[in-house]
Amino acid sequence: MPDVQVRESLQRARQRLADALESAGRPADDACLLAVSKTKSADLIREAHACRQRDFGENYLQEALDKQSELADLTDIVWHFIGPLQSNKTRDVAENFAWVHSIDRAKIARRLSEQRPAALGPLNVCLQVNVSGEESKSGVAPADLDALAAEVVALPNLRLRGLMAIPAPAEDMATQRRPLARLRQLRDTLRERYPQAPLDTLSMGMSDDLEAAILEGATLVRLGTAIFGARAPRP
Ligand SMILES: *Cc1c(COP(=O)(O)O)cnc(C)c1O
């Protein structure tokens, strides 16, 4: 049964992104939409794919692998791993994803590079930065970012595409923009230091702060709720 709701909310999300880019004075193709499908069924992903969505983000490895095998016939899906990553899970991620957004330590990066199958080409990676400075949040501290970037740039099977952040939620646009602006500055600094890396990606902006993120230069926004609806709490 076709899911009218996914089609409509995807349409609305695309319009929202287009409006945000226009308000920011940026070209219409300057940012892309990552559909965050964690906890959502393979059928909903298939429906979004039928509406030309190709990039999907998953947080939980086993859940993602199950959906990937269910959707193996959709060979043009681009899978992004965006969740916390433990070192005993790196092989499956290296073998089954095109992107990883959540690298926050060198050990994980080294393992991903070692375990990346040569036939797949380099794995696209973003470093996750803790721009809100909360103890509990994952991500590398800004002070440690340069050392991590130096290691990642030197790894043969990773391609350092940029930075990712999940800032603390904030109500007003000005408060939302501060950590996002910080992430952009950190990315710009890395770009000067590591001209050999692409560093073309700012993975920031979710359902509640997409407009702020686009104003601050996001190139890839990660939308879950806005596309697939609210998620049930995980047991
Ligand atoms: C869940 C999740 C999102 C999507 O969040 P929404 O608020 O539902 O749009 C984006 N990025 C990451 C890393 C997530 O875990």
Side-chain angles (χ1 to χ4, degrees), residues 34 36-38 58-60 82-84 101-102 128 164-166 203 205-209 221-227 229-231:
L34 176 65
V36 176
S37 42
K38 62 176 177 226
E58 290 282 341
N59 293 57
Y60 310 106
I82 63 174
H101 293 235
S102 44
Q128 182 175 352
M164 182 274 242
I166 311 172
S203 169
M206 317 199 328
S207 295
D208 289 333
D209 64 354
V221 294
R222 309 181 309 266
L223 297 190
T225 313
I227 294 174
R231 291 177 292 273

Side-chain angles (χ1 to χ4, degrees), residues 33-54:
L33 189 58
L34 176 65
V36 176
S37 42
K38 62 176 177 226
T39 80
K40 300 298 178 180
S41 70
D43 285 345
L44 288 181
I45 296 176
R46 190 177 289 280
E47 198 60 42
H49 179 274
C51 304
R52 306 184 326 274
Q53 179 65 31
R54 291 295 176 268

Side-chain angles (χ1 to χ4, degrees), residues 26-205:
R26 297 174 57 190
D29 61 353
D30 220 25
C32 69
L33 189 58
L34 176 65
V36 176
S37 42
K38 62 176 177 226
T39 80
K40 300 298 178 180
S41 70
D43 285 345
L44 288 181
I45 296 176
R46 190 177 289 280
E47 198 60 42
H49 179 274
C51 304
R52 306 184 326 274
Q53 179 65 31
R54 291 295 176 268
D55 289 84
F56 291 88
E58 290 282 341
N59 293 57
Y60 310 106
L61 182 61
Q62 193 51 54
E63 179 194 324
L65 296 176
D66 290 345
K67 287 186 241 180
Q68 287 178 348
S69 57
E70 236 180 292
L71 298 166
D73 56 312
L74 306 182
T75 52
D76 56 356
I77 288 190
V78 180
W79 292 103
H80 298 242
F81 191 82
I82 63 174
L85 188 44
Q86 296 148 358
S87 47
N88 62 344
K89 303 278 176 65
T90 51
R91 182 176 299 280
D92 277 329
V93 171
E95 292 177 353
N96 293 287
F97 288 81
W99 285 71
V100 177
H101 293 235
S102 44
I103 293 189
D104 62 359
R105 52 196 197 277
K107 180 184 177 189
I108 296 284
R110 283 193 297 268
R111 291 175 64 93
L112 287 170
S113 182
E114 281 161 18
Q115 294 165 345
R116 179 69 170 174
L120 296 181
L123 180 64
N124 296 294
V125 301
C126 292
L127 308 181
Q128 182 175 352
V129 186
N130 181 352
V131 279
S132 299
E134 291 162 283
E135 293 291 334
S136 59
K137 283 275 163 63
S138 42
V140 63
D144 302 326
L145 176 60
D146 187 70
L148 178 58
E151 287 226 36
V152 171
V153 165
L155 292 169
N157 300 322
L158 302 188
R159 187 155 49 177
L160 181 56
R161 298 297 299 268
L163 301 181
M164 182 274 242
I166 311 172
E171 292 292 320
D172 64 292
M173 173 84 84
T175 312
Q176 287 180 350
R177 286 181 69 168
R178 231 166 283 134
L180 301 166
R182 179 99 169 94
L183 194 72
R184 187 193 55 204
Q185 288 158 4
L186 291 167
R187 195 279 310 259
D188 291 347
T189 304
L190 288 187
R191 226 183 205 174
E192 283 172 25
R193 286 185 45 79
Y194 304 102
Q196 69 272 41
L199 283 162
D200 54 359
T201 301
L202 272 174
S203 169
M204 60 189 198

